[in-house]
């Protein structure tokens, strides 16, 4: 996803490889859709926020090449060590970094907790994953939250206590694998609705729910469930490659 705040351009979890790409591993991943945009379509990028580097659906091969070209990447301390390139800043949960830019006064990014596994114990398998709270001076009605890969767990409730969120970008799709009986390792639609209600956000933007074989809830299901729920007026359904304007 591309976020443009007054000309300051942020890319989240960059994946630019084409449909049909296969990534062999303990859990082999299959890409079933191509991204609408390539780095050359986006233009200059000020910042990448990378939930985690260890999974190809968050950082694929072209995404890995891309993040070498941007000024700053914010991710986990583990990503700093593994990527071993000078432009990566690592944050642990609740740590913040201030970004000096004339375009967005007071821009601050805070790492939020994730549980990218069915249980807390299984996060040893997923590795460290973070989400992001994006704040700047002049926000009228709360912050911009990008969940990263997580399910609903007590950390989400802690985020809701600490921050007033205006817009929540949630990684939905119910990612899961046969080995763990398809138990969710990212938000199900139901968990996303629960989060939107808990945080009482104005806008809900689903992301990270299509283009990969391991996403176990289809976009049609997500759309149908949300538009038949009491949060339906909060839904912002993005169209790939088409900008949507939101006042935060
Ligand atoms: Zn992941």
């Amino acid at each position: 996803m591309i976020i443009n705040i007054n000309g300051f351009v942020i890319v989240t979890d960059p994946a630019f490889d084409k449909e049909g790409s296969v990534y062999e591993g303990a859990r082999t991943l299959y890409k079933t859709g191509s991204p609408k945009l390539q780095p050359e379509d986006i233009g200059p990028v000020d910042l990448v926020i990378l939930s985690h580097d260890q999974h190809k659906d968050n950082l694929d091969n072209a995404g890995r090449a891309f993040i070498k070209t941007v000024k700053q990447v914010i991710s986990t301390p583990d990503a700093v060590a593994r990527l071993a390139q000078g432009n990566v800043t690592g944050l642990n949960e609740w740590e913040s970094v201030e970004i000096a830019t004339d375009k967005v006064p007071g821009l601050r990014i805070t790492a939020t907790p994730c549980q990218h596994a069915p249980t807390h114990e299984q996060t040893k398998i997923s590795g460290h994953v973070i989400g992001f709270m994006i704040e700047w001076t002049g926000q009228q009605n709360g912050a911009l939250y990008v969940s990263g890969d997580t399910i609903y767990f007590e950390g989400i409730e802690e985020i809701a206590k600490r921050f007033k969120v205006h817009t929540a970008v949630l990684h939905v799709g119910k990612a899961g694998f046969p080995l763990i009986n398809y138990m969710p390792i990212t938000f199900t639609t139901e968990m996303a609705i629960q989060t939107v209600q808990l945080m009482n956000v104005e806008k809900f933007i689903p992301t990270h729910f299509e283009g990969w074989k391991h996403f176990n809830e289809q976009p049609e299901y997500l759309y149908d469930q949300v538009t038949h729920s009491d949060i339906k007026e909060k839904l912002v359904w993005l169209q790939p490659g088409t900008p949507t304007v939101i006042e935060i």
Side-chain angles (χ1 to χ4, degrees), residues 139-179:
Q139 283 179 336
Q140 298 297 312
N141 298 297
L144 170 59
Y145 169 54
V146 179
S147 72
D149 282 2
T150 183
I151 62 164
Y152 188 98
F153 74 118
E154 61 276 9
I156 302 295
E157 293 167 10
E158 186 60 31
I159 297 167
K161 277 185 204 148
R162 293 184 187 219
F163 292 94
K164 171 151 179 46
V165 177
H166 176 274
T167 296
V169 177
L170 304 183
H171 289 212
V172 200
K174 195 190 177 193
F177 296 89
L179 199 65

Side-chain angles (χ1 to χ4, degrees), residues 52 55 57-58 116 149:
H52 51 305
H55 293 159
D57 56 327
N58 304 89
H116 188 22
D149 282 2

